[in-house]
């Protein structure tokens, strides 16, 4: 087994991987930019090394600097987390050349699946169903016109190297096509350094469902069930759950077998996710493959009882999968909320700053994967994801109930977060009835009863503000609480205020 693993990432995913390393008796090495010196992942690691300026290109995306730290620290493997270099084939290749094990797929598999057009070509050869459209980039506007007319509007323009909604445009009519194509190409070039764009038929009101796969280096591949990822804002996932409310055992088996075929066609190893669009008749189409650990992996862990990061490390160490497909069992239901430092009342603008107060939820069925702590200053240089809050129950209703209770316990002071958004989603009758699709959240946000306008959220916010003020006042009072008078009237020092009393006050303020 590896003796030391470098985590080439930051935030909550770095903390998550560090914890897995410690559970397995492996030393964890952190890297950090100048603004991340006090970050939680740096505090949790066994060793930590600076890698440069806040700009990601100068630090977390700088391959030579990260490999230099691996050499100096003696790390024999690198876990890339998600984002940054996690799907960078050049990084995977550089790790191999430096004789450091990359915990993920090979560079060849990344190349095969990293480009959406190359992936579509591979799936076409493998007989995998995918959304009608082009399997190669568009050469001209004229070609775009011809393809769009043939498959029919509405259509989607997508960046071949894309992800996260970048370089993506929905086109409802031919009059919109030219400007949309120019905009998609321009954004794709800025975001990925690659302006290649292709066309897909737009499936109206689809569900976005993905299948987790695992493949060892001995030819064994399994699927671990699906995740419902339809709740999205601007093509970014916001809430994920497993299993999907609409997938029955037969559909799960069919999707899983296709996902395994996709992975095998790419020569894939380690953890990966095959994403599908599902139409209203439950027909599913291959969308893309993410060649890394997903943000939403905890919901799969909760319903299967498997630790995906442990399994990633074991696979990278050359071990076989310790179970067969028949041994994978799904139990219960899990839902995840992505907690961001952003302001729902100001068009979700990022909200960096110091966390002055942090009240954390707990209790049965609640999991928190977090990269924040009270007193930490959230930088403005990176993705604003702070934490993930996951609720687990024996069924979907119990998971919703537990997660709703936990959201009402959660408070982050000093910055704005999107916690109020999740209270609203979980209380929405269509969400509770599982009547969701990729347009659900955008439709909900267009309604005129605003996030902060509901009585429950207004009351919760008011209580939180009062609590924060009382904490500040109690802090001042407690500072002098140890001074009392002797019998002669002179001040006498006694022990500080009781920790039990302090804890009791906090509980009363919840």
């Amino acid at each position: 087994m590896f003796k030391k693993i470098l985590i080439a990432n930051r935030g909550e995913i770095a903390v998550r991987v560090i914890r897995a390393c410690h559970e397995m008796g492996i030393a964890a090495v952190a890297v950090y930019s100048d603004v991340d010196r006090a970050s939680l992942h740096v505090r949790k690691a066994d060793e930590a090394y600076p890698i440069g300026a806040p700009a990601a290109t100068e630090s977390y995306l700088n391959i030579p600097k990260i490999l230099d730290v691996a050499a100096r620290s003696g790390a024999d493997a690198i876990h890339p987390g998600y984002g940054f270099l996690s799907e960078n084939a050049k990084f995977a290749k550089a790790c191999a050349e430096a004789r450091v094990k990359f915990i993920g797929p090979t560079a060849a598999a990344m190349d095969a699946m990293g480009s959406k057009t190359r992936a579509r070509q591979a799936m076409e050869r493998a007989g995998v169903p995918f959304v009608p459209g082009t399997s190669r980039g568009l050469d001209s506007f004229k070609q775009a016109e011809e393809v769009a007319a043939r498959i029919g509007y509405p259509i989607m323009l997508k960046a071949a190297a894309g992800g996260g909604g970048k370089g993506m445009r929905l086109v409802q009519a031919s009059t919109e096509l030219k400007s949309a194509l120019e905009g998609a190409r321009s954004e794709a070039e800025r975001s990925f350094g690659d302006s290649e764009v292709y066309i897909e038929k737009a499936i109206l009101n689809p569900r976005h469902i993905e299948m987790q796969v695992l493949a060892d280096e001995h030819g064994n591949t399994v699927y671990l069930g699906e995740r419902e990822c339809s709740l999205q804002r601007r093509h970014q996932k916001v809430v994920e759950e497993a299993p999907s409310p609409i997938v029955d055992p037969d559909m799960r088996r069919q999707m899983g077998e296709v996902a395994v075929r996709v992975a095998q066609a790419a020569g894939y190893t380690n953890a990966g996710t095959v994403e599908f669009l599902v139409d209203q008749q439950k027909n599913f189409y291959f969308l893309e493959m993410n060649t890394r650990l997903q943000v939403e992996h905890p919901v799969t862990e909760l319903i299967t009882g498997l630790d995906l990061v442990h399994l990633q490390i074991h696979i990278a160490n050359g071990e076989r999968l310790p179970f067969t497909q028949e041994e994978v069992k799904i139990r219960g239901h899990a839902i995840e909320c992505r907690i961001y430092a952003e302001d729902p009342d100001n068009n979700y603008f990022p909200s960096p700053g110091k966390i002055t107060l942090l009240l954390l939820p707990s209790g049965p069925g609640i999991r928190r994967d977090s990269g924040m702590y009270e007193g930490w200053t959230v930088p403005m240089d990176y993705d604003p994801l702070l934490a993930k809050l996951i609720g687990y129950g024996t069924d979907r209703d119990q998971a919703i109930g537990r997660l709703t209770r936990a959201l009402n316990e959660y408070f982050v002071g000093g910055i704005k977060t999107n916690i109020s958004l999740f209270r609203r989603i979980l209380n929405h009758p269509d969400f509770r009835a599982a009547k969701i699709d990729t347009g659900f959240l955008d439709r909900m946000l267009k309604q005129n009863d605003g996030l902060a306008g509901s009585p429950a959220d207004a009351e919760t916010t008011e209580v939180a503000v009062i609590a924060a003020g009382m904490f500040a006042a109690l802090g001042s009072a407690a500072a002098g609480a140890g001074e009392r008078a002797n019998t002669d009237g002179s001040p006498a020092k006694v022990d500080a205020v009781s920790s039990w009393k302090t804890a009791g006050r906090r509980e009363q303020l919840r």
Side-chain angles (χ1 to χ4, degrees), residues 60-64 66 80-96 102 104-111 114 192 291-292:
Y60 298 107
L61 289 174
N62 191 306
I63 294 174
I66 291 173
Y82 52 72
F84 291 130
L85 294 169
S86 63
E87 295 183 280
N88 188 306
K90 291 181 181 177
F91 182 50
K93 186 177 179 182
C95 288
F102 179 81
T106 63
M110 279 191 192
D111 274 332
F192 311 111
T291 56
R292 55 171 166 79

Side-chain angles (χ1 to χ4, degrees), residues 56-85:
T57 52
E58 298 297 316
S59 50
Y60 298 107
L61 289 174
N62 191 306
I63 294 174
K65 285 183 179 178
I66 291 173
L67 289 177
D68 176 63
V69 171
R72 286 192 286 132
S73 65
D76 43 7
I78 291 178
H79 196 300
Y82 52 72
F84 291 130
L85 294 169

Side-chain angles (χ1 to χ4, degrees), residues 209-507:
I209 298 177
E210 61 189 26
M211 186 67 66
Q212 177 72 56
V213 295
L214 276 178
D216 64 24
E217 297 174 359
H218 305 276
N220 303 303
T221 308
V222 297
Y223 61 89
L224 304 182
E226 79 285 351
R227 296 185 287 256
E228 175 84 54
C229 303
S230 297
L231 265 69
Q232 302 176 10
R233 179 178 170 272
R234 296 179 180 174
H235 307 292
Q236 291 272 24
K237 299 169 188 173
V238 176
V239 175
E240 302 97 347
E241 59 182 299
S244 167
I246 68 160
V247 174
D248 57 31
D250 187 56
M251 184 177 177
R252 179 173 300 119
R253 178 187 56 78
Q254 291 180 44
M255 293 183 76
E257 289 174 353
V258 169
V260 166
R261 202 155 79 233
V262 168
Q264 291 175 337
Y268 195 86
T269 57
N270 216 277
T273 297
V274 179
E275 303 199 352
F276 299 94
L277 286 182
V278 181
D279 66 21
Q280 295 178 6
Q281 288 73 45
K282 293 191 178 182
N283 299 307
F284 60 87
Y285 305 93
F286 170 77
L287 182 63
E288 62 183 353
M289 185 174 189
N290 288 312
T291 56
R292 55 171 166 79
L293 190 70
Q294 292 281 85
V295 178
E296 58 272 22
H297 75 274
V299 294
T300 297
E301 293 185 325
L302 288 170
I303 66 165
T304 60
L306 300 171
D307 189 307
L308 293 183
V309 179
H310 282 208
L311 288 165
Q312 280 192 296
I313 294 170
H314 283 298
I315 290 170
N317 193 46
E319 300 172 37
R320 293 178 181 272
L321 286 173
F323 51 83
T324 64
Q325 186 64 66
E326 291 70 29
E327 293 174 302
V328 176
K329 303 297 181 185
I330 292 177
R331 300 178 182 86
H333 202 96
I335 306 174
E336 174 183 287
C337 298
R338 300 188 185 192
I339 311 299
Y340 284 99
E342 57 186 19
D343 186 358
D345 297 323
N346 186 23
N347 199 30
Y348 295 87
F349 198 75
S351 178
K354 184 175 181 179
I355 297 175
T356 57
L357 178 65
L358 187 58
L359 304 179
L360 298 175
S362 59
I366 296 303
R367 168 175 167 175
R368 284 182 297 105
D369 282 21
S370 176
M372 62 175 165
Y373 61 88
E374 190 169 300
W376 176 56
T377 299
V378 181
M380 62 181 296
D381 307 87
Y382 311 108
D383 185 277
L385 179 64
L386 297 172
K388 300 177 305 200
L389 183 67
I390 309 101
Y392 174 78
T394 56
D395 56 29
R396 190 171 188 265
D397 287 343
Q398 188 179 58
I400 291 173
R402 285 177 166 176
L403 191 53
T404 300
R405 181 259 302 164
L407 287 165
N408 288 331
E409 294 177 1
Y410 215 161
F411 179 75
V412 184
I415 61 171
K416 298 286 187 179
T417 71
N418 61 343
I419 290 175
S420 61
L421 171 65
F422 300 116
R423 296 194 194 105
R424 187 177 174 198
I425 290 172
L426 267 62
N427 284 311
H428 197 286
D430 283 348
F431 176 80
R432 291 195 168 239
K435 296 177 181 178
I436 54 177
D437 56 62
T438 55
F440 168 85
L441 191 52
D442 287 336
R443 292 194 302 271
M444 191 191 83
L445 293 176
K446 286 178 181 177
Q447 295 172 0
N448 294 323
D449 54 347
L451 286 177
S454 68
D457 281 332
E459 183 180 348
T460 302
T461 302
E462 184 179 0
V463 169
V465 171
I466 293 170
M470 292 182 71
F471 264 106
L474 284 172
S476 302
E483 298 217 3
R484 295 180 185 169
N486 290 321
T487 52
D488 61 358
S490 61
K493 293 290 264 183
V494 296
D495 291 340
V497 65
S498 164
S499 296
W500 290 102
K501 290 181 179 178
T502 302
R505 286 170 182 162
R506 286 177 178 165
E507 286 302 317

Side-chain angles (χ1 to χ4, degrees), residues 140-201:
S140 63
F141 171 64
K142 182 180 178 181
Q143 183 193 11
E145 277 188 312
E146 292 171 352
V147 173
R150 185 177 76 247
I151 65 176
Y153 289 92
I155 57 102
M156 290 291 293
L157 295 173
K158 292 186 173 183
K166 302 292 186 183
M168 185 182 293
R169 297 290 188 278
L170 174 63
V171 184
Q172 299 281 4
S174 59
T175 53
E176 305 171 8
L177 182 59
K178 187 171 185 179
S179 61
L181 181 59
E182 292 171 353
R185 280 177 166 164
S186 175
E187 187 174 36
E189 178 65 38
R190 291 196 309 272
S191 301
F192 311 111
D194 184 350
S195 63
E196 184 182 1
V197 170
Y198 67 102
I199 283 183
E200 275 185 358
K201 173 71 176 174

